[in-house]
Amino acid sequence: MQVTGGRFENKVVIVTGAAGDIGRETTRRFAAEGATVAAVDSDADRVRALAAGLRKDGLQVIALRADVSREEDVERYVEMTCTEFGGVDILFNNAGVEGEAGDISECDLADFDRVMGVNVRGVLLGMKYVVPVMRARGGGAIVNTASVAGLSGASLISSYCASKHAVIGLTRSVAMQQGPNNIRVNAVCPAAMTGRMMTSIENKMSPGDADTVRDAVLGTIPMGRYARPGDVASMVTHLCSDEASFLNGGAYPVDGGATA
Ligand SMILES: NC(=O)c1ccc[n+]([C@@H]2O[C@H](COP(=O)([O-])OP(=O)(O)OC[C@H]3O[C@@H](n4cnc5c(N)ncnc54)[C@H](O)[C@@H]3O)[C@@H](O)[C@H]2O)c1
């Protein structure tokens, strides 16, 4: 299954949230195009199962358990990747949680803190620890997962929306800061995607009537369907490839025209 001469041959890649819908597909794509991948997730069983399955296909993937919102965990996943593979070329900073949905007057601050902890602090920490390693290697590429909810408002999921706006702010700032070091930083902004997270959001927004939410969201997407994990993986791998060598500080929608 592994392609020699693939776009990521001899590259070391870290994917966080690797056991989720976007993470699994992206980990598989990077590895199938020649990368050695450290697959990071807080769900140890699912990330180990992913890595074991991909290794059976002849791909080079190790599983690392980490909570991206904890500084010591992030320091450790970067260190372990360097010990195992000698450095890091690419970070896909993708772990995220959706949090609760509802009226702002009912916002649970513990939930807000959890969403910001994973989606914002996790992304910041990933960059904090990987940038020095990339600098020592002469450069690198980072993609942070934002959302169309990082580009415009999202009624009822305000904490999530705030976190994704913050991801874009971090992306732009670190892109400006690290461009001179040949480290490119971009954000990917998927629309609603088929998978666990949107099913959860639909049910939280309208318990017992998820189809109504789904129809309303579909009405905002000119192409008339949800994104698929492969749509997002295609953008992420492109942004991390040499073909994207002058793309830095962008926030790229993968949204079927929703933000057009
Ligand atoms: N699904 C969508 O519709 C959609 C749309 C736009 C953006 N996104 C973003 O894409 C990213 C991936 O989402 P997904 O759809 O694959 O969701 P998912 O729930 O399938 O995957 C998320 C993964 O992150 C892991 N994770 C959660 N908290 C963690 C933590 N503290 N430390 C380490 N890992 C943790 C989970 O175990 C899970 O495997 C998220 O940042 C999400 O906000 C998703």
Side-chain angles (χ1 to χ4, degrees):
M1 189 163 166
Q2 189 154 0
V3 181
T4 40
R7 284 185 296 175
F8 302 109
E9 207 173 5
N10 300 321
K11 299 287 185 197
V12 178
V13 179
I14 296 175
V15 176
T16 73
D21 291 310
I22 292 173
R24 287 195 306 276
E25 180 61 18
T26 312
T27 298
R28 192 188 61 73
R29 293 267 193 107
F30 273 125
E33 292 197 57
T36 303
V37 185
V40 175
D41 204 284
S42 55
D43 187 329
D45 291 343
R46 285 173 59 235
V47 77
R48 278 192 205 119
L50 170 78
L54 292 173
R55 280 198 302 269
K56 267 192 198 143
D57 290 338
L59 303 180
Q60 298 177 66
V61 181
I62 60 161
L64 299 175
R65 198 218 70 84
D67 175 345
V68 300
S69 67
R70 294 168 58 96
E71 183 159 17
E72 60 273 30
D73 281 23
V74 176
E75 187 173 17
R76 193 173 47 85
Y77 82 61
V78 174
E79 246 173 45
M80 287 177 75
T81 306
C82 291
T83 305
E84 200 72 25
F85 304 130
V88 181
D89 300 292
I90 291 167
L91 169 65
F92 181 34
N93 230 343
N94 167 69
V97 290
E98 68 275 23
E100 298 304 322
D103 192 272
I104 193 67
S105 63
E106 285 161 13
C107 178
D108 172 22
L109 282 187
D111 180 68
F112 174 80
D113 289 344
R114 190 173 77 92
V115 169
M116 297 302 274
V118 178
N119 298 7
V120 184
R121 197 166 61 218
V123 163
L124 181 147
L125 286 171
M127 293 195 286
K128 172 175 173 176
Y129 284 96
V130 99
V131 157
V133 174
M134 288 180 172
R135 267 203 299 255
R137 224 161 153 86
I142 298 172
V143 173
N144 298 322
T145 305
S147 166
V148 292
L151 296 167
S152 56
S155 177
L156 296 184
I157 47 169
S158 44
S159 300
Y160 180 79
C161 185
S163 76
K164 295 302 186 180
H165 276 68
V167 168
I168 293 177
L170 277 171
T171 300
R172 290 178 171 146
S173 305
V174 181
M176 293 171 74
Q177 185 191 101
Q178 298 301 325
N181 298 317
N182 195 32
I183 300 172
R184 300 183 298 103
V185 189
N186 290 290
V188 64
C189 302
M193 190 191 77
T194 306
R196 187 211 67 79
M197 187 174 282
M198 268 317 291
T199 303
S200 161
I201 289 174
E202 287 159 7
N203 285 303
K204 285 175 178 175
M205 280 184 167
S206 189
D209 192 16
D211 286 352
T212 305
V213 177
R214 191 181 162 83
D215 288 346
V217 176
L218 280 173
T220 68
I221 302 176
M223 294 195 76
R225 67 165 174 86
Y226 275 10
R228 298 175 188 131
D231 298 323
V232 183
S234 295
M235 174 62 88
V236 172
T237 50
H238 174 67
L239 288 172
C240 294
S241 73
D242 290 344
E243 291 141 44
S245 61
F246 203 52
L247 303 189
N248 188 32
Y252 294 91
V254 179
D255 69 353
T259 55

